[in-house]
Amino acid sequence: MTFNKTLLATAVIGAMLASTAHAETLRWTRSADSLTMDPHSQNEGPTHSVNHQIFDTLLYQDMDVEYQPGLATDWYVHEDDPSVWVFEIREGVTFHEGQALTADDVVFSLNRARHEHADMRGLLTSIVEVRAADDFTVEVVTDGPNPLLPNNLTNLFIMSREWAEEHGVEEPQNYAAGEETHAVRNANGTGPFRVESREPDVRTVFVRNDDYWGIDHYPMEISELIFTPIESASTRVAALLSGEVDLLQETPVQDIERLAQADGIKNEQGAENRTIFLGMRMDLEVLDSADVDSNPFADRRVREAINLAVDATTIQRSVMRGNSEPAGMIAPPFVNGYSEEMDEVLPADAERAQELMNEAGYGDGFRVTLNCSNDRYVNDEQICQAVVSMLARIGITVDLIAQTRSLHFAEMAREEYDFYLLGWGVPTMDSEYVFNYLYHTKEEDRGSWNFTGYSDERVDELTVAMGQEVDEEARNEMIAEAWQIVHDEIIYIPIHHQMLTWSMRDDIDFQVQSENTPHFKYLRFNN
């Protein structure tokens, strides 16, 4: 047998080029790692960001925050029953370890996410039953029409039932109790990347899933994704400047201009779907950390005084260096139910704040502990330091405890805090999500992030109703009423809507996503 050497060489070179055209490593950093790899345990941004690389959802929000089909190719309300949503499941999909995706895996995953240990359950409170109509059709029955159900599924990851049963993780991790399970450090999804190795809080290596169902639909130019969380802001920036990492998520505000001027580096910026605010425990008779035998936060006048003393404009200028928008409500402008009037920020007024403290019987002030994360939000600890200084002007002595977010959120979940910093995004783009988690009375399946003790029967009624009402005008009236109630009561102290900056090599084509979730399957290299 004879060979045409020229043709053979051409074929070999062509094959090599085809296999290496998009074989490029991306090294990614941000301040914090995923809290857990269990996809239903925690409803938390950095955790979702990691899990979106590994798992798929039925539908998701792309880099323009538009809803796109994921493992569901179509979804609609059942023609004979407005309380049933139908999801048509994509065929021919396999999990990383080879299991075939069927409707049974979707039924299992949605039910697992409804478990009492699942922080995702607050998104699924209306669900009565999840059933498989056939191998690739799922029907979700709700307790009445629920126009928002698909919006609630963008971070609801689908697991393999077979894998979960094999490893004894049919139930989600009890994060608050510090439970360790196989799903905490291992993952088997259908997503664009597989986990090759993981050292929590140190380094996670992902490799491209060449069997991904969307391999021909998305750029998928990253062959290896290395995630290295770096807590120190200056170290993160130095790593980008030295070429140790290629993309820095959540650029420190003090370094934005410096990086914009650096050779080979560029910034991508945009508004984030997140509001930073303070929460106060108002249901206790006596605060655990206060030096008075009462609960100052239970008095609306004290809450109003704090609201007037915390100067969001100064925080915007001095702490955030202009990279925030002072807020009056916990919903950014692109969320349904947003009110420009309620989002207006009153000028700081320490004199009036002191008058209110006097009227409430706290003219001499009091002492209290403020708990804050130091690696979750942009300049979170610095924000808290500024609050400490501002409240001192009206006689409130604040002892600040700032710690890593894994401890911060675990202690918060155990309801150990009197006064705390929190940030909230709205992935459903609707106010119902805010009320469901932050304002509804804390119960088994609602109010899971309401650590204030606030409870109002009318707000609870409106929260449930806005999740079921299909008439848009009537529904928006409910939302407006609920916002007015909580705005008047000053349940939280909004500080600002966060702005986002991602810094990266200038040969990378990747825009900021307002959910702060980088879907790396969209990233392209300009080389």
Side-chain angles (χ1 to χ4, degrees), residues 469-479:
E469 181 58 63
V470 295
D471 182 273
E472 185 176 0
E473 183 177 352
R475 188 172 181 281
N476 286 337
E477 288 176 359
M478 294 175 183
I479 292 173

Side-chain angles (χ1 to χ4, degrees), residues 208-224:
R208 183 172 56 205
N209 174 17
D210 289 327
D211 295 321
Y212 185 50
W213 58 265
I215 194 76
D216 297 322
H217 181 69
Y218 304 100
M220 297 286 290
E221 295 192 5
I222 300 170
S223 57
E224 182 183 51

Side-chain angles (χ1 to χ4, degrees), residues 373-388:
S373 57
N374 59 14
D375 59 359
R376 173 60 187 94
Y377 313 111
V378 178
N379 281 1
D380 41 9
E381 183 173 2
Q382 293 92 325
I383 292 168
C384 289
Q385 290 169 345
V387 169
V388 170

Side-chain angles (χ1 to χ4, degrees), residues 298-311:
D299 194 313
R300 184 195 177 281
R301 292 168 295 186
V302 173
R303 300 197 299 272
E304 183 179 357
I306 293 172
N307 198 37
L308 289 170
V310 174
D311 188 345

Side-chain angles (χ1 to χ4, degrees), residues 459-498:
V459 170
D460 290 353
E461 291 174 356
L462 289 167
T463 300
V464 174
M466 67 178 75
Q468 299 174 335
E469 181 58 63
V470 295
D471 182 273
E472 185 176 0
E473 183 177 352
R475 188 172 181 281
N476 286 337
E477 288 176 359
M478 294 175 183
I479 292 173
E481 181 185 348
W483 273 120
Q484 192 64 59
I485 293 170
V486 299
H487 187 268
D488 291 345
E489 286 296 314
I490 314 177
I491 308 306
Y492 296 101
I493 310 297
I495 297 176
H496 58 238
H497 305 306
Q498 192 163 275

Side-chain angles (χ1 to χ4, degrees), residues 14-84:
M16 291 174 60
L17 288 173
S19 66
T20 61
H22 301 304
E24 187 153 354
T25 295
L26 183 90
R27 297 160 301 174
W28 157 46
T29 189
R30 69 184 302 175
S31 61
D33 197 359
S34 169
L35 294 172
T36 175
M37 299 194 84
D38 187 311
H40 305 138
S41 175
Q42 289 295 291
N43 184 14
E44 193 257 354
T47 301
H48 290 331
S49 290
V50 168
N51 280 334
H52 267 292
Q53 316 311 323
I54 308 162
F55 296 93
D56 285 310
T57 53
L58 293 178
L59 62 154
Y60 71 99
Q61 292 168 300
D62 64 14
M63 298 301 289
D64 294 314
V65 203
E66 298 289 336
Y67 292 102
Q68 300 292 346
L71 293 181
T73 56
D74 197 10
W75 52 93
Y76 47 87
V77 175
H78 197 288
E79 60 181 359
D80 297 325
D81 189 344
S83 296
V84 176

